[in-house]
Amino acid sequence: MNRFPLWKYALLALALVIGLVYTLPNLFGEAPAVQVSSGKSTVKVDAALVPRVEEALKAAGVQADFVQFEGTSVRARFDDTDTQLKAKDAIAKALNPDPSDPQYIVALNLLSRSPHWLTALHALPMYLGLDLRGGVHFMMQVDMQAALKQQLDTYVSDARNALREKRLRFGGITREANGLAVNVADAALAEEARRVLAERLASLTWTTEPAADGSGQRLVGRLTPKAIAEIQSSTLKQNIETLHKRVNELGVAEPVIQQQGADRVVVQLPGVQDTARAKDIIGRTATLQIRLVEPDTAVAAETVPSRERTGGTRMVGLKREVVATGDQLKNASATIDQDQRPAVSVRLDDVGGRAMRAVTRENIGKLMAIVLYEKGKGEAISVATIQGEFGSEFQITGSFTPQETADLALLTRAGSLAAPMEIIEERTIGPSLGAENIEKGFDSVAYGFAAIAVFMCAYYLLFGVFSTLALALNLLLLVAVLSMLQATLTLPGIAAIALTLGMAIDANVLINERVREELRAGKPPQQAIHLGYEHAWATILDSNITTLIAGLALLAFGSGPVRGFAVVHCLGILTSMFSAVLFSRGLVNLWYGRKKKLKSVSIGQVWRPDGAATPPTAEA
């Protein structure tokens, strides 16, 4: 009746081992580190950079715990912050001989001290949020008026091209507040122009009115409220995507980049110690231009370097005219051309496509360059020969490897922000404050656990010990699951852990009281244990499901700290149901299940209907 099959005990042992292994990395803490990432979109960081970093450290007499390539950066870990600072200076001097044009970003960071065998098992510590790890917090505001202005400028160019294609004469096109105006000679021409523009520019509502000087008609197009909302929404999304790409260069673990309100973005970078470098990265401006190449660099409007496949560079002359810009780029992706060669497929919007068609028609056989500008300095990321007339969609081919086409596509997509952003709030949380928050959070969980353990052991005796051990496993499994998911732990998350401990013990209280009721009713101890667990399960399931529904609502509709609380809360409910019911039952079965003639159980005083209390271990 009260015996578990061997596979259930094996399952409990496996859960215990997994909990221990994946919780361990959180106990080792973090060590100071230096991270090297790309300082320019055209500079690639790979494993070949590791020997250069090791050489720089050796020349400076600095000993690192290890130097390794991970993700998109090279990281070196050190014992203390003094060595970290010395290493940063040495690496920056070796990799960036020209400080005015840095090729690599050398930033301070933190790495886990976990031993290699744990890392090999992919047992990694939880990410710590800004309030626990320290770092920087930025509140950035998007200039929505600039976004609308840029979009209207595009509409002005598009309207001009649409009227010219239909050979409709017009006096001029001007941009106005949330719209544009077209001057035409008479009402008949205005009506025809209105049909053309309404078809081409559906986001504008077109009306006709007499010109102010009475010399003709004035066609006015206004952005609809829906169009304005869509422009603002797409601008915010594009800026957030661009910020994600830039923050990745800092190698921040679990950065928070999220929309707040209609025109603001919150950027939180846990663990970043170099605030100035972080501001430099997220505030970077980059623009993309497609221009014709001028063979004679002496008469070229501008010369920019172009990186060769061999690793060297050569100067390329550019003509003054800009064929298309990054704002007109819709997409760029690595693909295969008709000859099964790696290529980059590029797609422009209608305006860029028409300009590209006109230029390529007249310049077949000539060179065209894609130029990326960062911090006022340009670099040609691709120089190719125009082999035929093309418009909105075309391919860049050459002697590329598949990896080179993927890199070129990524660089081509790396453009400027959709609209300017300004940092309106900045906060820095030091590592010492984060450490203090961790200490206080740990103390709150430890004291809460100790108080619960004392009460349970005193009130339910041996069954209280079983409940306490089940609660300990619940805490172990919760931390292990959070570590396996690489979740970000914040102060609200620690609060959720403390709350989970209080809620998890409720299940054991229900079980223990139900066993007492069966003993009070005169049931034999073995039957009382069996019925106690069986009858308590339905109540435990109902209460946890309702609580889980509330947690899922917080997870679905909450954001920021609320969402972090909800994640830990929901996971804690699931682990508590496993530990409170299955693990505690396993301990009880292991202790009492082998006794055929069980006369008593250690579960505290059992109050009989007449009001008398039996001793804790008396026969039931």
PDB file of all heavy atoms in Angstrom, residues 65 90 116 127 129 131 136 138 164 185 210 278 282 327 330 398 454 508 515 518 529 575:
ATOM      1  N   ASP A  65      43.067  33.698 -16.507  1.00  0.00           N
ATOM      2  CA  ASP A  65      42.582  32.344 -16.205  1.00  0.00           C
ATOM      3  C   ASP A  65      42.372  31.578 -17.511  1.00  0.00           C
ATOM      4  O   ASP A  65      42.699  30.395 -17.600  1.00  0.00           O
ATOM      5  CB  ASP A  65      41.269  32.420 -15.428  1.00  0.00           C
ATOM      6  CG  ASP A  65      41.460  33.003 -14.037  1.00  0.00           C
ATOM      7  OD1 ASP A  65      42.615  33.021 -13.569  1.00  0.00           O
ATOM      8  OD2 ASP A  65      40.470  33.431 -13.427  1.00  0.00           O
ATOM      9  N   ALA A  90      46.296  46.947 -22.055  1.00  0.00           N
ATOM     10  CA  ALA A  90      47.254  46.246 -22.920  1.00  0.00           C
ATOM     11  C   ALA A  90      46.586  45.748 -24.198  1.00  0.00           C
ATOM     12  O   ALA A  90      47.139  45.886 -25.303  1.00  0.00           O
ATOM     13  CB  ALA A  90      47.871  45.072 -22.159  1.00  0.00           C
ATOM     14  N   HIS A 116      35.345  24.129 -15.219  1.00  0.00           N
ATOM     15  CA  HIS A 116      35.131  23.737 -16.612  1.00  0.00           C
ATOM     16  C   HIS A 116      34.198  22.532 -16.735  1.00  0.00           C
ATOM     17  O   HIS A 116      33.411  22.441 -17.684  1.00  0.00           O
ATOM     18  CB  HIS A 116      36.482  23.420 -17.272  1.00  0.00           C
ATOM     19  CG  HIS A 116      36.355  23.006 -18.709  1.00  0.00           C
ATOM     20  ND1 HIS A 116      36.020  23.906 -19.705  1.00  0.00           N
ATOM     21  CD2 HIS A 116      36.498  21.793 -19.315  1.00  0.00           C
ATOM     22  CE1 HIS A 116      35.966  23.253 -20.859  1.00  0.00           C
ATOM     23  NE2 HIS A 116      36.252  21.984 -20.660  1.00  0.00           N
ATOM     24  N   TYR A 127      21.338  34.250 -15.126  1.00  0.00           N
ATOM     25  CA  TYR A 127      21.685  35.644 -15.367  1.00  0.00           C
ATOM     26  C   TYR A 127      21.118  36.486 -14.225  1.00  0.00           C
ATOM     27  O   TYR A 127      20.044  36.179 -13.694  1.00  0.00           O
ATOM     28  CB  TYR A 127      21.097  36.131 -16.691  1.00  0.00           C
ATOM     29  CG  TYR A 127      21.714  35.492 -17.909  1.00  0.00           C
ATOM     30  CD1 TYR A 127      20.904  34.930 -18.898  1.00  0.00           C
ATOM     31  CD2 TYR A 127      23.080  35.447 -18.079  1.00  0.00           C
ATOM     32  CE1 TYR A 127      21.465  34.343 -20.024  1.00  0.00           C
ATOM     33  CE2 TYR A 127      23.646  34.862 -19.199  1.00  0.00           C
ATOM     34  CZ  TYR A 127      22.834  34.313 -20.171  1.00  0.00           C
ATOM     35  OH  TYR A 127      23.393  33.735 -21.267  1.00  0.00           O
ATOM     36  N   GLY A 129      19.824  40.221 -12.946  1.00  0.00           N
ATOM     37  CA  GLY A 129      19.297  41.467 -13.459  1.00  0.00           C
ATOM     38  C   GLY A 129      20.115  42.664 -13.007  1.00  0.00           C
ATOM     39  O   GLY A 129      21.063  42.553 -12.224  1.00  0.00           O
ATOM     40  N   ASP A 131      19.419  45.055 -10.979  1.00  0.00           N
ATOM     41  CA  ASP A 131      19.388  45.383  -9.552  1.00  0.00           C
ATOM     42  C   ASP A 131      20.271  44.460  -8.723  1.00  0.00           C
ATOM     43  O   ASP A 131      20.612  44.786  -7.588  1.00  0.00           O
ATOM     44  CB  ASP A 131      17.949  45.337  -9.030  1.00  0.00           C
ATOM     45  CG  ASP A 131      17.210  44.075  -9.462  1.00  0.00           C
ATOM     46  OD1 ASP A 131      17.852  43.219 -10.103  1.00  0.00           O
ATOM     47  OD2 ASP A 131      16.004  43.970  -9.184  1.00  0.00           O
ATOM     48  N   VAL A 136      24.073  49.516 -16.163  1.00  0.00           N
ATOM     49  CA  VAL A 136      23.563  50.831 -16.548  1.00  0.00           C
ATOM     50  C   VAL A 136      22.133  50.706 -17.049  1.00  0.00           C
ATOM     51  O   VAL A 136      21.727  49.682 -17.611  1.00  0.00           O
ATOM     52  CB  VAL A 136      24.443  51.490 -17.636  1.00  0.00           C
ATOM     53  CG1 VAL A 136      25.783  51.858 -17.074  1.00  0.00           C
ATOM     54  CG2 VAL A 136      24.599  50.586 -18.839  1.00  0.00           C
ATOM     55  N   PHE A 138      19.309  53.029 -19.268  1.00  0.00           N
ATOM     56  CA  PHE A 138      19.053  54.196 -20.107  1.00  0.00           C
ATOM     57  C   PHE A 138      17.573  54.255 -20.459  1.00  0.00           C
ATOM     58  O   PHE A 138      16.956  53.224 -20.765  1.00  0.00           O
ATOM     59  CB  PHE A 138      19.849  54.135 -21.423  1.00  0.00           C
ATOM     60  CG  PHE A 138      21.342  54.153 -21.257  1.00  0.00           C
ATOM     61  CD1 PHE A 138      22.102  53.057 -21.602  1.00  0.00           C
ATOM     62  CD2 PHE A 138      21.985  55.275 -20.755  1.00  0.00           C
ATOM     63  CE1 PHE A 138      23.470  53.056 -21.456  1.00  0.00           C
ATOM     64  CE2 PHE A 138      23.356  55.283 -20.591  1.00  0.00           C
ATOM     65  CZ  PHE A 138      24.108  54.180 -20.938  1.00  0.00           C
ATOM     66  N   ARG A 164       5.392  62.041 -62.892  1.00  0.00           N
ATOM     67  CA  ARG A 164       6.234  62.093 -64.090  1.00  0.00           C
ATOM     68  C   ARG A 164       6.019  60.863 -64.969  1.00  0.00           C
ATOM     69  O   ARG A 164       6.027  60.959 -66.195  1.00  0.00           O
ATOM     70  CB  ARG A 164       7.703  62.203 -63.684  1.00  0.00           C
ATOM     71  CG  ARG A 164       8.083  63.590 -63.167  1.00  0.00           C
ATOM     72  CD  ARG A 164       9.514  63.613 -62.671  1.00  0.00           C
ATOM     73  NE  ARG A 164       9.907  64.961 -62.231  1.00  0.00           N
ATOM     74  CZ  ARG A 164      11.050  65.239 -61.622  1.00  0.00           C
ATOM     75  NH1 ARG A 164      11.918  64.249 -61.360  1.00  0.00           N
ATOM     76  NH2 ARG A 164      11.333  66.479 -61.261  1.00  0.00           N
ATOM     77  N   ALA A 185      -2.477  72.900 -62.592  1.00  0.00           N
ATOM     78  CA  ALA A 185      -3.021  74.050 -63.328  1.00  0.00           C
ATOM     79  C   ALA A 185      -4.528  74.186 -63.208  1.00  0.00           C
ATOM     80  O   ALA A 185      -5.054  75.289 -63.051  1.00  0.00           O
ATOM     81  CB  ALA A 185      -2.614  73.952 -64.796  1.00  0.00           C
ATOM     82  N   PRO A 210      -8.781  75.134 -53.941  1.00  0.00           N
ATOM     83  CA  PRO A 210      -8.206  76.198 -54.790  1.00  0.00           C
ATOM     84  C   PRO A 210      -6.860  76.651 -54.232  1.00  0.00           C
ATOM     85  O   PRO A 210      -6.625  76.641 -53.026  1.00  0.00           O
ATOM     86  CB  PRO A 210      -9.251  77.317 -54.725  1.00  0.00           C
ATOM     87  CG  PRO A 210     -10.506  76.656 -54.234  1.00  0.00           C
ATOM     88  CD  PRO A 210     -10.092  75.529 -53.370  1.00  0.00           C
ATOM     89  N   ALA A 278      29.376  51.991 -23.281  1.00  0.00           N
ATOM     90  CA  ALA A 278      28.004  51.573 -23.577  1.00  0.00           C
ATOM     91  C   ALA A 278      27.234  52.693 -24.275  1.00  0.00           C
ATOM     92  O   ALA A 278      26.504  52.459 -25.242  1.00  0.00           O
ATOM     93  CB  ALA A 278      27.292  51.170 -22.290  1.00  0.00           C
ATOM     94  N   ILE A 282      25.499  52.331 -28.135  1.00  0.00           N
ATOM     95  CA  ILE A 282      24.070  52.443 -28.429  1.00  0.00           C
ATOM     96  C   ILE A 282      23.732  53.765 -29.102  1.00  0.00           C
ATOM     97  O   ILE A 282      22.702  53.887 -29.755  1.00  0.00           O
ATOM     98  CB  ILE A 282      23.211  52.265 -27.159  1.00  0.00           C
ATOM     99  CG1 ILE A 282      23.440  53.414 -26.167  1.00  0.00           C
ATOM    100  CG2 ILE A 282      23.473  50.933 -26.510  1.00  0.00           C
ATOM    101  CD1 ILE A 282      22.510  53.363 -24.990  1.00  0.00           C
ATOM    102  N   ASP A 327      17.942  53.728 -45.887  1.00  0.00           N
ATOM    103  CA  ASP A 327      16.534  53.905 -45.562  1.00  0.00           C
ATOM    104  C   ASP A 327      15.634  53.253 -46.605  1.00  0.00           C
ATOM    105  O   ASP A 327      14.473  52.924 -46.317  1.00  0.00           O
ATOM    106  CB  ASP A 327      16.189  55.394 -45.459  1.00  0.00           C
ATOM    107  CG  ASP A 327      16.930  56.080 -44.325  1.00  0.00           C
ATOM    108  OD1 ASP A 327      17.307  55.371 -43.376  1.00  0.00           O
ATOM    109  OD2 ASP A 327      17.138  57.302 -44.396  1.00  0.00           O
ATOM    110  N   LYS A 330      14.997  47.296 -48.147  1.00  0.00           N
ATOM    111  CA  LYS A 330      13.956  46.469 -47.541  1.00  0.00           C
ATOM    112  C   LYS A 330      14.537  45.202 -46.915  1.00  0.00           C
ATOM    113  O   LYS A 330      14.147  44.803 -45.823  1.00  0.00           O
ATOM    114  CB  LYS A 330      12.907  46.085 -48.596  1.00  0.00           C
ATOM    115  CG  LYS A 330      12.043  47.235 -49.074  1.00  0.00           C
ATOM    116  CD  LYS A 330      11.138  47.737 -47.974  1.00  0.00           C
ATOM    117  CE  LYS A 330      10.169  48.787 -48.503  1.00  0.00           C
ATOM    118  NZ  LYS A 330       9.291  49.308 -47.432  1.00  0.00           N
ATOM    119  N   GLY A 398      30.068  37.168 -56.975  1.00  0.00           N
ATOM    120  CA  GLY A 398      31.521  37.280 -57.041  1.00  0.00           C
ATOM    121  C   GLY A 398      32.148  35.997 -56.517  1.00  0.00           C
ATOM    122  O   GLY A 398      31.485  34.969 -56.367  1.00  0.00           O
ATOM    123  N   VAL A 454      11.564  25.145  11.276  1.00  0.00           N
ATOM    124  CA  VAL A 454      11.412  25.029  12.733  1.00  0.00           C
ATOM    125  C   VAL A 454       9.964  24.743  13.099  1.00  0.00           C
ATOM    126  O   VAL A 454       9.660  23.861  13.915  1.00  0.00           O
ATOM    127  CB  VAL A 454      11.922  26.304  13.425  1.00  0.00           C
ATOM    128  CG1 VAL A 454      11.516  26.305  14.908  1.00  0.00           C
ATOM    129  CG2 VAL A 454      13.426  26.418  13.304  1.00  0.00           C
ATOM    130  N   ASN A 508       2.100  20.370   1.997  1.00  0.00           N
ATOM    131  CA  ASN A 508       2.484  19.414   3.040  1.00  0.00           C
ATOM    132  C   ASN A 508       1.615  19.564   4.284  1.00  0.00           C
ATOM    133  O   ASN A 508       1.321  18.573   4.960  1.00  0.00           O
ATOM    134  CB  ASN A 508       3.952  19.606   3.399  1.00  0.00           C
ATOM    135  CG  ASN A 508       4.875  19.185   2.269  1.00  0.00           C
ATOM    136  OD1 ASN A 508       5.469  20.018   1.601  1.00  0.00           O
ATOM    137  ND2 ASN A 508       4.969  17.875   2.049  1.00  0.00           N
ATOM    138  N   VAL A 515      -3.757  13.218   7.001  1.00  0.00           N
ATOM    139  CA  VAL A 515      -3.326  11.981   7.670  1.00  0.00           C
ATOM    140  C   VAL A 515      -3.819  11.972   9.110  1.00  0.00           C
ATOM    141  O   VAL A 515      -4.288  10.953   9.630  1.00  0.00           O
ATOM    142  CB  VAL A 515      -1.794  11.833   7.590  1.00  0.00           C
ATOM    143  CG1 VAL A 515      -1.322  10.660   8.451  1.00  0.00           C
ATOM    144  CG2 VAL A 515      -1.341  11.642   6.156  1.00  0.00           C
ATOM    145  N   GLU A 518      -7.484  11.026   9.260  1.00  0.00           N
ATOM    146  CA  GLU A 518      -7.709   9.590   9.106  1.00  0.00           C
ATOM    147  C   GLU A 518      -7.337   8.832  10.381  1.00  0.00           C
ATOM    148  O   GLU A 518      -8.021   7.869  10.765  1.00  0.00           O
ATOM    149  CB  GLU A 518      -6.893   9.059   7.916  1.00  0.00           C
ATOM    150  CG  GLU A 518      -7.225   9.700   6.574  1.00  0.00           C
ATOM    151  CD  GLU A 518      -8.659   9.446   6.156  1.00  0.00           C
ATOM    152  OE1 GLU A 518      -9.267   8.452   6.622  1.00  0.00           O
ATOM    153  OE2 GLU A 518      -9.209  10.251   5.364  1.00  0.00           O
ATOM    154  N   ILE A 529      -2.001   6.920   6.165  1.00  0.00           N
ATOM    155  CA  ILE A 529      -1.008   7.576   5.298  1.00  0.00           C
ATOM    156  C   ILE A 529      -1.462   7.528   3.845  1.00  0.00           C
ATOM    157  O   ILE A 529      -1.432   8.537   3.130  1.00  0.00           O
ATOM    158  CB  ILE A 529       0.366   6.902   5.455  1.00  0.00           C
ATOM    159  CG1 ILE A 529       0.929   7.158   6.861  1.00  0.00           C
ATOM    160  CG2 ILE A 529       1.340   7.415   4.398  1.00  0.00           C
ATOM    161  CD1 ILE A 529       2.195   6.374   7.166  1.00  0.00           C
ATOM    162  N   THR A 575       7.311  23.064  -9.554  1.00  0.00           N
ATOM    163  CA  THR A 575       8.287  22.295  -8.772  1.00  0.00           C
ATOM    164  C   THR A 575       7.741  21.925  -7.396  1.00  0.00           C
ATOM    165  O   THR A 575       8.059  20.857  -6.862  1.00  0.00           O
ATOM    166  CB  THR A 575       9.602  23.078  -8.612  1.00  0.00           C
ATOM    167  OG1 THR A 575       9.332  24.360  -8.004  1.00  0.00           O
ATOM    168  CG2 THR A 575      10.267  23.299  -9.962  1.00  0.00           C
TER     169      THR A 575
END
